[in-house]
């Protein structure tokens, strides 16, 4: 049950756009569309940003978008602002005889 | 409003046991699968296991790292889930989160509601 691979950190200036990648295998990300992204401010509850690769809950602004190519999913954040500084995690359902979920190691986003 | 509140964390000695609770309101608990996820200090999120709804026979599945030591249960009448942790190790020190997904058909819904977590410290 290996974790998905994310960059440890990314940074950008206010107003810029950036993309966080999440690499898995054909057994998780590449095998279906059950890929989600979460925003986590320390001490708070993780927040669902993206589900089913590219869908947004109704309370999430369209500055956040998701995509997938092969075994790699991506989260793009446009119009960065200070409140976006947080940890971001990707997650995938893993289909197997005993299904389970796996998270990425997390990416620390710093707004410069 | 949706509420997910974990409790029961604290200091426990290696080899000891602890039972966490996850009290919820504001959504269909009986129609949800409940999951536990943890985060050790400086580390990422780690999925631990889930229990499905009654319609799915309360089926459970666990991560390899906790299988045989941890067990998840639920009380639909109280809208509360539990995580029983036995044979605790220092590596189990972490913040433990409860979350859920809407459990219907074959669709795997996202983990949409989360609590703020409860801290478990395993130390002598």
């Amino acid at each position: 049950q290996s974790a998905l691979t994310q960059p440890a950190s990314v940074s950008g200036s206010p107003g810029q756009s950036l993309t966080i990648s999440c690499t898995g295998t054909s057994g998780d990300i590449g095998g279906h569309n059950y890929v989600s992204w979460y925003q986590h401010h320390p001490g708070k509850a993780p927040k669902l940003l993206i589900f089913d690769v590219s869908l947004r809950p109704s309370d999430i602004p369209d500055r956040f978008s998701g995509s997938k190519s092969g075994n790699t999913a991506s989260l793009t954040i446009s119009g960065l602002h200070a409140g976006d500084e947080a940890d971001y995690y990707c997650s995938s359902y893993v289909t197997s005889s005993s299904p389970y979920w796996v998270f990425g190691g997390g990416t620390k986003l710093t707004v410069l | 409003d949706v509420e997910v509140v974990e409790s029961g964390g604290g200091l426990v000695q290696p080899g000891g046991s602890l039972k966490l609770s996850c009290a919820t309101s504001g959504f269909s608990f009986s129609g949800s699968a409940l999951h536990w996820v943890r985060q050790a200090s400086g580390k990422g999120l780690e999925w631990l296991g889930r229990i499905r709804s009654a319609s799915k026979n309360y089926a459970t599945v666990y991560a390899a790292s906790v299988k045989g030591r941890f067990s998840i249960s639920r009380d639909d009448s109280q809208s509360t889930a539990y995580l029983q942790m036995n044979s605790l190790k220092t590596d189990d020190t972490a913040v433990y989160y409860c979350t859920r997904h809407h459990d219907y058909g074959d669709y795997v819904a996202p983990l949409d509601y989360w609590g703020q977590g409860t801290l478990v410290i395993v130390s002598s």
Side-chain angles (χ1 to χ4, degrees), chain A residues 97-99 101, chain B residues 30 32-35 47 49-62 71-74 76 101 103:
Chain A
S97 57
S98 185
W101 281 253
Chain B
S30 61
S32 301
L34 279 300
H35 299 242
W47 178 83
R50 68 102 172 97
I51 184 168
R52 297 196 74 171
S53 61
S55 66
K56 301 297 183 181
N57 300 314
Y58 300 118
T60 55
V61 64
Y62 300 94
S71 64
I72 301 173
S73 60
R74 59 190 291 164
D76 287 4
H101 79 250
D103 195 10

Side-chain angles (χ1 to χ4, degrees), chain A residues 1 38 40 45 52 89 98-99, chain B residues 39 47 61 64 97 107-108 111 115:
Chain A
Q1 297 178 347
Y38 300 87
H40 190 205
D52 294 359
Y89 292 90
S98 185
Chain B
Q39 182 178 33
W47 178 83
V61 64
Y97 297 96
Y107 172 63
V108 182
L111 304 176

